[in-house]
Amino acid sequence: MPVPAFEEYEPAVDCPCPGCARQRRELAHRPAVRLGGPPAAHGARRALVLVTAAGVVLGGGTGAVGAAQSGGGLAGAAPAADTGPSVTPQGGTSGLHGRPHPGPAASPVSRADLPRTTRADIIQRAKLWAAEGIPYSMQKFWSDGYRQDCSGYISMVWGLASNEWTGSLQRFATRIDRKDLQPGDILLFHNAANPIKGSHVTIFAGWTDYRRTHYVAYEQTKPRTRRQVTPLAYWNNSDSYVAYRYNGLIPGDDGTSGSPGGAAEGVFPGAGMFGPGRSNQHVTELGRMLVARGASRFYRVGPGPRWGEADRRATQAFQLAQGWRGAEADGLPGAHTWRLLAQDRGRDVPAEPGAPRAAVPPFPGAGHFRPGQSNRHVEQLGRQLVKHGYGKHYRKGPTPRWGEADRRNVQDFQRAQGWRGAAADGYPGPETWRRLFR
């Protein structure tokens, strides 16, 4: 893939990036060119940066040659008081925000210089772009002044005063272990050897399953900002992604109260999240963990975010299975109950006393689960998905007619089994069927 080419831009003498190195070699052999026109025009031309038609790849998107921003965006012109835009292999720094934070590339930015924010505010800002569907671009800037690529998106949600790139975001954060991820943290892959090949960054917004194999990611990628359940750490280059935590978080904001993701490593979100009248993501997570441990019979619909009698009875059944009695088995989860569930420890909920173990119905055949099909097996499958906690894509249903909601729910269940690729395509086979009905 060709490296970025810069026109009418003098590269820094000590910049090691491939584009600047190439440009220095070309300038050394190029005859002097006399610029015509007024001095102001010279400056405008020297500030112009054009990316080669081959494009620059970032997080699955290919940058096109910059054009004037239409609608709510801003054209990428350098601030008048600046000496010119600071060019990176993943777009310039311009819009309403200027050059990246000064200092050596490897040195962290002082916490005193960082905007203070909370995890809730970070996620809220992430949702704004996702709701707007901001188009991906490495040259354009949205109306808030941030560049419309993945690193510009992180600069925005963290409230940074500059448009950073994947090679500098770590200066504003501390590296953490993936198991410690909390909402508002990021997963970053910076390909130092070739920054334009695969470098990308996403926002972590919470685990989707107690095994922590998938998480909700907010990201800026082609064609627009999206919120999507994503395998840890990403669809490609997964092993190369590094978790970071923003250094400007307000002290004490650990993400364990009122934010998704509290189940990580058995971190209890607090007793106040559970009980009559409570409705939050932790209730859903509790229900899904209980279903996985044998308590599915207590749920007719769900689990869901609103606390109900089904949650209390399922929790109590799990507590009784541990040999607890009295106040220790009141059906309200405490730190010990949560930790056993999150870490897949303790005893499972036994089958209902005296109830015969239901036989797994025979698999009716893959042909029943295809677009256009409508039969009782589709509805039967859907009810089992809901029973196991994998019905979030249903707006109505389950129904006998096979639809995209069925396929996506099946896919979530398959991925929770650790399957990938063709084994998790969303269409049930004999093993998917057996696991849902066992």
Side-chain angles (χ1 to χ4, degrees):
M1 178 180 294
V3 298
F6 307 101
E7 295 183 9
E8 299 192 37
Y9 179 82
E10 289 186 5
V13 295
D14 59 347
C15 179
C17 84
C20 287
R22 173 179 171 180
Q23 185 71 350
R24 283 196 295 270
R25 290 194 299 270
E26 292 178 356
L27 288 175
H29 297 89
R30 183 183 299 172
V33 177
R34 187 174 186 84
L35 297 174
H42 299 174
R45 284 197 296 270
R46 293 175 65 83
L48 177 64
V49 179
L50 296 179
V51 181
T52 58
V56 180
V57 177
L58 175 62
T62 304
V65 176
Q69 169 72 35
S70 62
L74 299 175
D82 204 351
T83 57
S86 176
V87 179
T88 75
Q90 297 170 50
T93 53
S94 189
L96 297 181
H97 304 278
R99 303 170 67 89
H101 200 284
S107 63
V109 176
S110 170
R111 292 177 185 266
D113 295 336
L114 295 178
R116 312 301 278 173
T117 189
T118 66
R119 294 185 184 279
D121 287 340
I122 290 173
I123 298 300
Q124 183 60 36
R125 287 193 292 269
K127 290 179 178 178
L128 292 177
W129 273 32
E132 289 286 337
I134 308 302
Y136 178 89
S137 174
M138 291 170 52
Q139 290 80 43
K140 296 179 181 179
F141 298 81
W142 196 240
S143 55
D144 56 13
Y146 289 99
R147 195 175 58 247
Q148 294 168 218
D149 60 9
C150 69
S151 47
Y153 185 44
I154 302 301
S155 301
M156 183 274 294
V157 299
W158 280 357
L160 302 181
S162 52
N163 276 290
E164 299 296 326
W165 68 300
T166 56
S168 62
L169 283 171
Q170 68 271 22
R171 300 181 59 220
F172 302 82
T174 299
R175 182 170 179 169
I176 61 173
D177 196 291
R178 287 183 184 180
K179 66 181 178 63
D180 296 324
L181 279 163
Q182 294 288 345
D185 298 336
I186 64 171
L187 284 158
L188 170 69
F189 168 47
H190 175 63
N191 186 358
N194 188 356
I196 64 175
K197 187 175 182 181
S199 297
H200 190 48
V201 60
T202 72
I203 303 168
F204 178 89
W207 301 108
T208 62
D209 60 298
Y210 78 95
R211 296 181 181 88
R212 298 184 294 281
T213 62
H214 289 72
Y215 67 101
V216 174
Y218 284 92
E219 61 178 329
Q220 180 68 356
T221 187
K222 279 196 167 183
R224 61 185 60 85
T225 320
R226 71 182 183 187
R227 175 192 183 276
Q228 180 168 298
V229 175
T230 304
L232 187 71
Y234 201 64
W235 306 98
N236 44 45
N237 300 308
S238 180
D239 293 341
S240 300
Y241 276 76
V242 179
Y244 286 96
R245 177 162 298 158
Y246 178 54
N247 286 336
L249 283 175
I250 292 175
D253 183 18
D254 60 0
T256 60
S257 179
S259 299
E265 284 304 297
V267 177
F268 182 52
M273 295 292 109
F274 308 100
R278 298 291 186 262
S279 181
N280 55 72
Q281 199 163 354
H282 300 297
V283 176
T284 304
E285 183 69 19
L286 172 73
R288 288 177 176 170
M289 292 191 292
L290 287 165
V291 165
R293 302 299 297 276
S296 59
R297 69 176 183 270
F298 296 100
Y299 293 94
R300 289 189 175 182
V301 179
R306 182 172 296 280
W307 178 269
E309 181 62 14
D311 299 291
R312 189 197 67 78
R313 292 179 62 202
T315 302
Q316 186 177 49
F318 179 77
Q319 293 168 333
L320 291 170
Q322 312 314 307
W324 306 343
R325 296 295 183 267
E328 292 183 332
D330 59 1
L332 295 172
H336 194 187
T337 300
W338 186 268
R339 186 165 58 252
L340 291 178
L341 287 167
Q343 297 179 354
D344 199 16
R345 295 166 52 197
R347 301 184 184 90
D348 290 348
V349 176
E352 190 172 5
R357 185 177 180 86
V360 175
F363 180 58
H368 290 87
F369 309 102
R370 291 292 184 269
Q373 293 295 313
S374 181
N375 54 75
R376 64 182 180 85
H377 302 296
V378 174
E379 185 172 9
Q380 187 181 20
L381 173 81
R383 293 190 182 281
Q384 288 300 114
L385 287 165
V386 170
K387 188 175 179 181
H388 284 272
Y390 294 91
K392 70 177 182 180
H393 298 293
Y394 288 126
R395 291 188 178 181
K396 291 184 178 180
T399 70
R401 180 169 295 278
W402 176 265
E404 180 62 12
D406 297 290
R407 191 196 68 79
R408 293 178 69 187
N409 286 330
V410 171
Q411 188 174 54
D412 286 349
F413 177 78
Q414 291 170 332
R415 286 174 173 170
Q417 312 310 303
W419 303 341
R420 297 294 181 268
D425 59 2
Y427 295 100
E431 183 60 18
T432 299
W433 183 269
R434 186 185 69 81
R435 296 194 182 196
L436 278 170
F437 283 91
R438 68 183 180 183

